[in-house]
Amino acid sequence: MEKILYLAHVESDGTLSKAALESLGAAVELSKKLSGSSLSVGLIGSQAEKAAGSIASCGATSFFAVSGPEFDCSRYSTDAAAIEALGRQTQATLMVAAGTSRFGRAVPGATFRLNGRIDSRITGFTVENNSFQIQRWFYRQRMMSTQTRAQRPWALLLDPGVFSPWAGQPGTTSVQSIAVNLPELRTRVLGTETATTGPQTIRPDAKLLFVTGAGWTKKQSDGQPHVKEAEDLIINFLEKTRASLGSTKSLVDQTGDGQQVISLLSHINQVGQTGSTPRHQKGLSTCCHGEEPHTVGWRFINERRAINLDANCGWAQGKADVLYVADAFQVLKKVNELL
Amino acid sequence: MSAFHIIVCGSLVPDPLQTLEPITSPTGPGLKNEAMLPAVLDPWAGHALYEAANLAKNNPGSKVWLVSLGPKAKLQQLMMTIAQKVPFELVAVDGSASGFTDPFEAANALSDAIAKIPGLDRSKLLVFGGCASASRDAGVTMQMIGEKLGICDQFLAVDELSTPGDGSLRILERIEGGRYQVSSCQGAPAVLAWATGKLPVPPNNPQVGMMNMRAIMPALQKAVPAKVGSEGVTFSSVEVPKQKRETRIVKDMPVDEIAREIVAWITA
Amino acid sequence: MENLERQSLEVDIACVGFGPAMGGFLTTLSKVADPSLLQSRVMPGMPLQIMCYERADDVGFGVSGIVTRGRGIRASFPELDLSSIPMAHPVKHEKLVYLLDPIGASRRSAALKLVDKLLPARHSAFEIPFIPAFLRKDEGMVLSIGQFTQWISSQVMATGMVQLWPGTPVQSALIEGNQVAGVRLCDQGVEKDGSPSAGYMPGMDVRAALTVVGDGPVGAVGQQLDQVFGMPEGHHKRDWAVGMKMVVDLPENTELEAGMVYHTLGFPEPEIFGFLYVHPNRGASFGIFVPSFLETPVRTSYRYLQHWMLHPYFWRHLKGAKLRSWGAKSLSESGKHGEPFLAGNGYARIGEGSGSTNVLSGSGVDEAWTTGAQLAEGVLDLLREGKPFTKETLHEAYVARRRKSWVEKEAAVAEKARDGFHQGFSCGLLGMGLTGLTKGLLNIPGVAKRPHEKFPSLEEHYGTKLSAAELEGIRKRAAAESIPLHDLLMNQAGWPEIPYDGTLLVSHQDALLMGGKVQAAPGYADHVVFTHPEICETCIEKTCISICSGQAIMPGEASGVPRFDREKCVHCGACLWNCSKPGRENPEFGNLEFRAGAGGLHSSEN
């Protein structure tokens, strides 16, 4: 008889983020499939009542909240204390939460306080004969496991962008407020800032991921590199498509190699083995070369196309739906014109 | 200026370009030819180590320890490639470095080793590590180490740490959408799990290597065995996904036509 | 930034390169029974400070899989348990196979074609029923030198007596008068051309009473010593081969058993020898040697290796195999002809670069190991006697020991074994046979040409096979598309295109990534330098491009000077002896320098 606790941090306007609704969708589905289980909701943040109302019809038997100005920001000490209190209050055996930066930081430590165990980066689950298994990736998205565990409480951090968001009617519900003993607050959150001084290029909600490879800075058919031209083409394309910009490691690494580089790229743009593995509906790779493990950067892209002069390009053969064997400079120029 | 005692948790992972294939053994999943795979210091732990060394250099009186959990023989080999980078003292824990071990168990082994380091001053203690490993890739181990050591100020995916000079710490953490959260912490003790940081990989310095290695070999000999596995976890399968797609290769199509096709696809 | 002071470090023994020879040296040294012998002279009260610097990013990267009789290795490890070394296995069965040409594209003489017709062949091959004793590896072992070297490194490191530093290329020896006073490491934090950039750190000087040079046949320090001190009268390093190999997982239903050893000749060109060794657990290493006596400007190992794999004799075993590792290295084929001065004031040379390879038996690792062990014994004697490391003392303690050993005796037998190849392939084979069967009494003579003298023009090479117009067309296409000539030439000459399968038959670039895992850390200068670019502008053959194992040397800009991509270089050094233009400064080699550099292969299964 699992006691499922769904955890969410509430946005400043009292809404729940897309990632939070996705994990609610997963939690609701899980409670339906696990016979005899119960679902409760634990919310963190000042506007918990409003957020609870928005998901009142999710099927949870009870709603709890840790509220107060201290809990409005993303901070380890307060978040961990809140999660710990919610876990203790509900005696949860399964805690389901979105793998956001905030919960990624706080849920593991809170779980440790509850003498529980945690699995993160979860991308799927199955329930068969009331036995519950999760799927997660190991070795930087190179292999996938199906596994379960005996220990409880068991915290599950779900990868954003994988599960269908919960969509239901708002309503009214009563929210029980939970008091939390906070330690001395030694950390102040001062705010947020953008990672680069250039234009915003990482757009997690974009439909398209545009992956740039090292070929953009290499010598072109006339024997010269055309880095400035490459940069203009890429910026123009990103402005027109609102795509998110990813890059291979070899391209971002060139900053350290004294080569001419594309100025709007930083390590934050890096996808792949030592970068991120973003999720977008479509992906277009340009001038990228390499086999596994480089191509894990677009493992979670649904529709993939590539432009490369090399027909044997590892980013394309067997990995993309379409490979255009062509000069990306020319193609992108034309694409920008058409857009 | 404040002096820090900086613990860096980090161990080996397969060199990123290696071909990895899972196998199942009686003790659980592992990698094919795991002992033969060339290993490197986990990239994020590496960034943490270089940041730690830089912080120590800029704050005289500071000291860096590298606490590594891995098979002794592999750790010895790893030391050959990293001991020339920056000065540190090694604390070796002889156990599995497999990605399939449970973070809870790894955290216990590492925090036990940290707690036993003589002369560690909690008021100066910064616990560094990677924001995730390239093996387990869980992103949860550092938090549990922090909890076990009773540290309530923790930061994940840190790209920048500055010390204004009053003992406080100003920290930039990666959050969603390519943004940073900026925080200020009163000071040590704190846990910082690093993303890439801002420092390049330092050059190999033979003098640093020579000094480090004198203490590294004895440290390896003293390595405490730790049983690190995945108790309670049952793996039903571990597999490399079959993601082979039928790739339509378009050759000899005029650029204009390719562009039109791409635009139609993007805007569909 | 440029004024950063170059730091200096004092040690007792500085070692360059960690391969089998240095393995033998350090193993023997670190097994010393009486550690009080090994007191440091530079750090009184401390044990002897022995530093070994290896260019590759880790020990055991960038070397080759072998079969060896292992006499020297077994002498160092009398209780050697092969099962403790991954991929090692005793030799069980050996075959010498003559491969016919099922395609008809190889350069076979009319006589050879006739022989081919007469032989009773199966799978387009003839298993030679008798393997001459000098080729046999009785009671030997199949090894992955990568794994073996790693195993050795862990043993010597664990003694705490040796510090082993991979990823640390040695730029040059510190030569002061007639004395070697240590080594200088490569500068870090520099641009491609060596000028300082972010994080500049001048390469440190490591001063030592003894410098042990074991950096292989193309090592920078060995080259420098050959240049500065010259070669003994009549000695030269003019004969070479590039060995390119793969390690694979054989198909699950393979019939090949661990310990099986094949030597081949005859295909893809008559001059190209090949091998296949079977390791435990369905592993296998195979590869080919492309020799400098293959007098063609189209020396391309990768393409030839793929045709070798596809030969029906092996393809029946290799079909369905999976690439695990790939790599290449230069081999010094000069044998004793290539022996430099073995010792001088403050230095000694061991291993392949010291001319230890036996060119008759085709054995190098065991000999290299043994020369290292011999030097260590000599060094221990000198330490015991409190003598300095001078030319005289090292001659007495090391060179004399080497001269008395089986390595020298067998090298003397083999000295002229390959001379016949300078007269052609058939003469070469006959010569080897004659030398082997008469234990060196009879040989077929031949005069070694300098490497750059071994290249006919494309027109000469292709003779009637390709017309001048066809060659011109190919040149134009290659120039227009900035692609190498060799693939186009081979296609035109009748070699079929390779049917890529994505697991074993992969593009050259994918072999670098999937097999060699080739990479290079930033901050080092280019180690391949075209000395006088204006000479390259006039070069038509550009064999440096064809031979380049990693496609790191590719057609360059309109000027015609090839471009070098450090990140793809596997440090095989084949470019050093594959330039068709004589070097102005050193006519023994070409218009190209192969210096010390970091990076390269990242596979230890080789």
Side-chain angles (χ1 to χ4, degrees):
Chain A
M1 298 294 167
E2 303 283 8
K3 290 183 187 169
I4 304 170
L5 168 64
Y6 162 73
L7 291 163
H9 45 82
V10 181
E11 303 297 303
S12 56
D13 60 358
T15 59
L16 292 173
S17 69
K18 183 163 164 278
L21 291 172
E22 287 167 7
S23 49
L24 177 60
V28 169
E29 194 189 330
L30 187 60
S31 76
K32 281 181 189 158
K33 286 185 173 168
L34 280 173
S35 60
S37 67
S38 63
L39 175 67
S40 52
V41 169
L43 299 168
I44 301 168
S46 290
Q47 301 248 19
E49 297 260 348
K50 186 177 169 192
S54 71
I55 56 168
S57 65
C58 71
T61 49
S62 46
F63 286 75
F64 300 93
V66 175
S67 299
E70 299 93 340
F71 300 98
D72 284 343
C73 65
S74 166
R75 171 175 44 203
Y76 182 82
S77 57
T78 40
D79 287 340
I83 296 160
E84 181 193 359
L86 288 165
R88 290 197 194 284
Q89 173 70 33
T90 55
Q91 294 291 301
T93 57
L94 294 174
M95 304 196 294
V96 179
T100 57
S101 62
R102 184 169 176 181
F103 272 166
R105 189 202 297 116
V107 175
T111 308
F112 190 89
R113 291 181 193 176
L114 296 167
N115 195 28
R117 302 289 187 275
I118 183 165
D119 283 291
S120 56
R121 312 258 149 91
I122 294 167
T123 55
F125 63 82
T126 54
V127 179
E128 273 174 37
N129 305 325
N130 224 26
S131 146
F132 170 50
Q133 306 245 23
I134 59 161
Q135 269 111 41
R136 63 151 296 188
W137 293 79
F138 282 92
Y139 289 94
R140 298 296 295 163
Q141 291 78 45
R142 307 264 299 269
M143 51 194 75
M144 197 178 79
S145 88
T146 303
Q147 63 188 77
T148 189
R149 69 163 69 234
Q151 298 102 334
R152 298 290 184 276
W154 181 11
L156 308 162
L157 285 177
L158 311 185
D159 247 10
V162 182
F163 297 90
S164 304
W166 180 84
Q169 293 303 310
T172 49
T173 183
S174 66
V175 179
Q176 189 182 333
S177 184
I178 306 294
V180 173
N181 287 326
L182 283 177
E184 180 200 358
L185 294 184
R186 301 171 67 249
T187 295
R188 275 183 308 131
V189 176
L190 305 175
T192 65
E193 59 184 48
T194 54
T196 54
T197 49
Q200 178 73 28
T201 56
I202 295 174
R203 302 175 176 125
D205 292 328
K207 219 162 102 181
L208 177 72
L209 173 74
F210 183 68
V211 192
T212 51
W216 282 105
T217 58
K218 296 266 149 99
K219 286 172 185 156
Q220 302 304 315
S221 51
D222 62 354
Q224 299 296 320
H226 294 274
V227 177
K228 180 76 184 76
E229 192 189 329
E231 193 171 313
D232 291 345
L233 281 171
I234 293 167
I235 293 176
N236 197 348
F237 179 82
L238 293 177
E239 279 170 358
K240 290 197 155 109
T241 57
R242 305 299 297 162
S244 190
L245 176 63
S247 167
T248 59
K249 182 170 190 302
S250 52
L251 187 55
V252 287
D253 273 1
Q254 286 172 5
T255 41
D257 209 13
Q259 289 198 35
Q260 274 189 295
V261 287
I262 296 183
S263 62
L264 49 121
L265 285 172
S266 78
H267 273 102
I268 289 199
N269 293 94
Q270 188 187 320
V271 298
Q273 180 68 13
T274 45
S276 64
T277 318
R279 290 168 196 278
H280 298 272
Q281 193 197 328
K282 296 173 185 176
L284 179 63
S285 94
T286 49
C287 308
C288 298
H289 195 92
E291 258 294 337
E292 289 280 10
H294 300 287
T295 55
V296 299
W298 70 347
R299 174 148 280 167
F300 301 131
I301 304 297
N302 298 337
E303 299 169 36
R304 308 174 196 162
R305 298 193 178 197
I307 307 171
N308 203 304
L309 280 168
D310 177 4
N312 282 309
C313 159
W315 276 73
Q317 288 271 6
K319 302 276 190 323
D321 307 308
V322 186
L323 163 66
Y324 299 99
V325 182
D327 181 339
F329 277 82
Q330 290 175 20
V331 174
L332 209 61
K333 194 167 162 217
K334 192 70 201 172
V335 165
N336 285 343
E337 276 171 38
L338 291 173
L339 284 165
Chain B
M1 287 297 154
S2 342
F4 295 106
H5 283 178
I6 313 165
I7 300 286
V8 182
C9 301
S11 185
L12 48 99
V13 296
D15 176 305
L17 282 187
Q18 304 303 313
T19 308
L20 305 183
E21 208 179 305
I23 50 157
T24 307
S25 76
T27 54
L31 299 179
K32 191 176 172 185
N33 299 323
E34 190 154 5
M36 274 197 262
L37 285 173
V40 295
L41 179 63
D42 195 310
W44 290 281
H47 294 302
L49 178 64
Y50 309 143
E51 294 282 348
N54 189 52
L55 185 65
K57 193 174 84 184
N58 295 330
N59 291 277
S62 300
K63 185 172 173 184
V64 177
W65 288 261
L66 175 64
V67 183
S68 269
L69 164 64
K72 203 156 100 171
K74 294 289 271 184
L75 283 180
Q76 177 180 308
Q77 205 180 336
L78 178 69
M79 288 304 128
M80 289 192 274
T81 58
I82 63 162
Q84 291 195 109
K85 296 289 181 197
V86 291
F88 62 83
E89 186 176 305
L90 176 71
V91 177
V93 185
D94 186 11
S96 170
S98 164
F100 298 108
T101 56
D102 199 79
F104 181 86
E105 297 187 31
N108 268 325
L110 288 166
S111 50
D112 287 351
I114 295 168
K116 284 185 197 137
I117 294 174
L120 210 56
D121 182 345
R122 193 182 161 79
S123 69
K124 299 177 180 171
L125 179 63
L126 297 179
V127 183
F128 281 18
C131 58
S133 69
S135 49
R136 188 184 304 117
D137 195 16
V140 305
T141 314
M142 291 306 299
Q143 296 91 313
M144 295 197 271
I145 292 171
E147 280 299 324
K148 192 130 188 244
L149 296 171
I151 302 172
C152 278
D153 292 279
Q154 300 200 15
F155 305 89
L156 185 68
V158 176
D159 259 349
E160 195 177 304
L161 164 66
S162 45
T163 49
D166 55 359
S168 73
L169 312 166
R170 185 176 181 276
I171 293 156
L172 260 56
E173 290 168 287
R174 285 188 189 183
I175 56 169
E176 283 77 5
R179 295 180 69 79
Y180 284 129
Q181 173 164 312
V182 188
S183 304
S184 171
C185 177
Q186 282 173 19
V191 171
L192 283 84
W194 285 83
T196 49
K198 300 269 161 140
L199 298 173
V201 176
N204 286 335
N205 186 322
Q207 245 157 1
V208 167
M210 201 170 161
M211 291 299 296
N212 277 343
M213 198 50 92
R214 282 196 195 123
I216 283 173
M217 293 314 295
L220 281 166
Q221 274 150 14
K222 280 190 291 190
V224 184
K227 198 178 157 290
V228 180
S230 49
E231 198 192 318
V233 180
T234 311
F235 291 89
S236 22
S237 72
V238 180
E239 52 202 7
V240 175
K242 301 269 177 291
Q243 284 219 344
K244 193 136 182 92
R245 295 189 178 206
E246 286 302 316
T247 306
R248 175 166 68 93
I249 298 173
V250 181
K251 265 186 184 173
D252 305 322
M253 188 191 261
V255 167
D256 289 13
E257 221 168 296
I258 293 177
R260 265 196 297 280
E261 211 178 285
I262 289 175
V263 170
W265 170 66
I266 291 174
T267 52
Chain C
M1 191 158 60
E2 287 80 350
N3 297 328
L4 261 181
E5 201 185 329
R6 190 181 295 279
Q7 291 178 299
S8 178
L9 185 68
E10 295 265 346
V11 306
D12 293 290
I13 301 179
C15 306
V16 187
F18 186 75
M22 204 59 80
F25 177 70
L26 297 175
T27 297
T28 309
L29 209 59
S30 58
K31 278 187 169 178
V32 62
D34 178 9
S36 66
L37 268 181
L38 302 179
Q39 290 298 309
S40 173
R41 295 180 199 181
V42 294
M43 289 184 193
M46 297 281 287
L48 203 65
Q49 300 291 301
I50 307 169
M51 300 288 145
C52 179
Y53 299 107
E54 163 57 39
R55 182 208 69 64
D57 289 342
D58 208 339
V59 292
F61 285 175
V63 282
S64 182
I66 53 134
V67 58
T68 176
R69 291 180 68 187
R71 287 172 288 173
I73 294 168
R74 283 192 199 278
S76 299
F77 299 101
E79 309 289 319
L80 183 67
D81 171 14
L82 285 185
S83 65
S84 64
I85 308 171
M87 295 173 75
H89 201 278
V91 171
K92 289 286 180 206
H93 194 55
E94 253 181 307
K95 280 186 180 179
L96 178 59
V97 187
Y98 174 71
L99 301 175
L100 277 65
D101 176 3
I103 294 167
S106 72
R107 305 155 60 245
R108 283 173 135 71
S109 63
L112 207 55
K113 280 181 185 161
L114 187 66
V115 172
D116 289 2
K117 280 211 174 103
L118 297 175
L119 285 173
R122 278 190 73 210
H123 307 293
S124 288
F126 174 67
E127 294 181 358
I128 298 169
F130 165 75
I131 306 178
F134 62 83
L135 278 182
R136 284 208 304 267
K137 300 290 185 285
D138 298 340
E139 294 164 21
M141 52 187 119
V142 169
L143 284 177
S144 148
I145 282 292
Q147 286 303 306
F148 176 69
T149 317
Q150 289 208 341
W151 183 77
I152 293 296
S153 76
S154 68
Q155 314 267 323
V156 297
M157 285 279 289
T159 65
M161 286 179 51
V162 177
Q163 290 194 11
L164 195 47
W165 296 111
T168 311
V170 174
Q171 181 189 296
S172 58
L174 297 171
I175 299 178
E176 296 170 356
N178 64 356
Q179 166 97 21
V180 171
V183 295
R184 173 167 292 178
L185 306 178
C186 281
D187 294 348
Q188 297 172 78
V190 291
E191 305 281 352
K192 284 159 77 74
D193 65 0
S195 58
S197 69
Y200 175 58
M201 191 168 103
M204 200 171 282
D205 282 349
V206 182
R207 303 187 65 85
L210 176 65
T211 300
V212 179
V213 182
D215 61 353
V218 294
V221 176
Q223 284 188 56
Q224 180 200 12
L225 297 182
D226 291 347
Q227 281 250 40
V228 173
F229 296 124
M231 293 283 281
E233 181 72 32
H235 283 208
H236 59 76
K237 292 183 175 174
R238 293 179 181 175
D239 296 317
W240 297 88
V242 61
M244 183 176 280
K245 63 168 294 197
M246 285 186 175
V247 179
V248 300
D249 279 328
L250 293 167
E252 283 186 23
N253 57 353
T254 187
E255 292 166 5
L256 297 176
E257 286 176 17
M260 188 71 217
V261 170
Y262 292 89
H263 313 277
T264 77
L265 70 163
F267 184 83
E269 299 288 0
E271 298 92 335
I272 293 178
F273 294 91
F275 65 90
L276 186 144
Y277 313 138
V278 186
H279 299 287
N281 307 317
R282 286 195 289 115
S285 313
F286 59 78
I288 58 166
F289 301 102
V290 176
S292 57
F293 63 75
L294 176 69
E295 297 198 358
T296 155
V298 198
R299 288 179 190 159
T300 168
S301 324
Y302 189 69
R303 179 80 183 262
Y304 275 136
L305 176 59
Q306 291 186 314
H307 288 300
W308 185 91
M309 281 190 259
L310 285 163
H311 189 283
Y313 186 80
F314 286 114
W315 190 241
R316 65 198 164 116
H317 296 302
L318 295 178
K319 192 175 181 209
K322 222 167 121 188
L323 174 65
R324 262 162 67 172
S325 181
W326 164 91
K329 87 175 275 289
S330 278
L331 295 109
S332 171
E333 300 270 279
S334 295
K336 201 161 159 50
H337 284 317
E339 186 187 284
F341 293 109
L342 293 178
N345 291 325
Y347 78 94
R349 300 183 64 171
I350 54 175
E352 193 179 356
S354 78
S356 61
T357 301
N358 188 304
V359 293
L360 176 62
S361 60
S363 173
V365 168
D366 205 21
E367 286 75 4
W369 176 277
T370 306
T371 60
Q374 288 164 345
L375 175 64
E377 286 164 13
V379 165
L380 288 172
D381 281 353
L382 295 178
L383 288 171
R384 214 172 274 131
E385 294 158 16
K387 288 186 180 166
F389 299 113
T390 64
K391 186 174 176 179
E392 291 72 28
T393 60
L394 286 165
H395 262 264
E396 199 180 315
Y398 163 52
V399 181
R401 198 175 239 112
R402 181 162 160 175
R403 296 284 179 242
K404 277 188 240 159
S405 72
W406 62 269
V407 175
E408 176 77 12
K409 289 194 181 91
E410 294 180 11
V413 169
E415 183 166 10
K416 295 172 182 162
R418 289 193 179 225
D419 290 1
F421 283 112
H422 302 303
Q423 295 195 46
F425 174 66
S426 308
C427 278
L429 269 192
L430 276 175
M432 269 184 85
L434 202 58
T435 306
L437 297 173
T438 65
K439 299 205 183 313
L441 282 176
L442 296 175
N443 304 283
I444 292 186
V447 179
K449 291 188 240 178
R450 289 166 168 161
H452 62 81
E453 294 166 342
K454 297 182 189 180
F455 300 96
S457 70
L458 288 176
E459 280 75 7
E460 286 164 332
H461 175 68
Y462 280 105
T464 54
K465 218 164 193 179
L466 299 182
S467 69
E470 278 177 303
L471 286 172
E472 191 50 33
I474 287 172
R475 276 196 193 109
K476 277 197 177 138
R477 188 180 153 200
E481 296 177 22
S482 270
I483 52 172
L485 276 170
H486 56 265
D487 272 331
L488 299 175
L489 287 166
M490 285 183 73
N491 293 347
Q492 194 77 19
W495 291 99
E497 295 222 28
I498 303 297
Y500 292 127
D501 62 14
T503 51
L504 182 63
L505 299 171
V506 297
S507 72
H508 200 162
Q509 283 308 293
D510 282 343
L512 258 75
L513 279 163
M514 297 159 65
K517 292 94 178 175
V518 179
Q519 48 198 294
Y524 289 90
D526 276 353
H527 53 273
V528 170
V529 176
F530 302 97
T531 322
H532 299 286
E534 67 278 12
I535 296 180
C536 301
E537 287 175 20
T538 66
C539 178
I540 293 171
E541 306 82 24
K542 295 199 175 36
T543 311
C544 58
I545 294 174
S546 305
I547 197 71
C548 181
S549 299
Q551 289 189 324
I553 302 178
M554 287 292 271
E557 297 164 27
S559 69
V561 183
R563 63 188 157 85
F564 173 66
D565 185 348
R566 200 172 69 81
E567 287 175 45
K568 291 182 180 172
C569 180
V570 303
H571 296 256
C572 73
C575 48
L576 178 68
W577 49 273
N578 274 286
C579 175
S580 57
K581 303 285 173 279
R584 279 184 197 153
E585 290 76 15
N586 177 11
E588 276 296 311
F589 285 108
N591 180 43
L592 178 148
E593 287 175 57
F594 182 75
R595 301 174 180 167
L601 297 165
H602 270 226
S603 170
S604 53
E605 292 182 303
N606 281 320

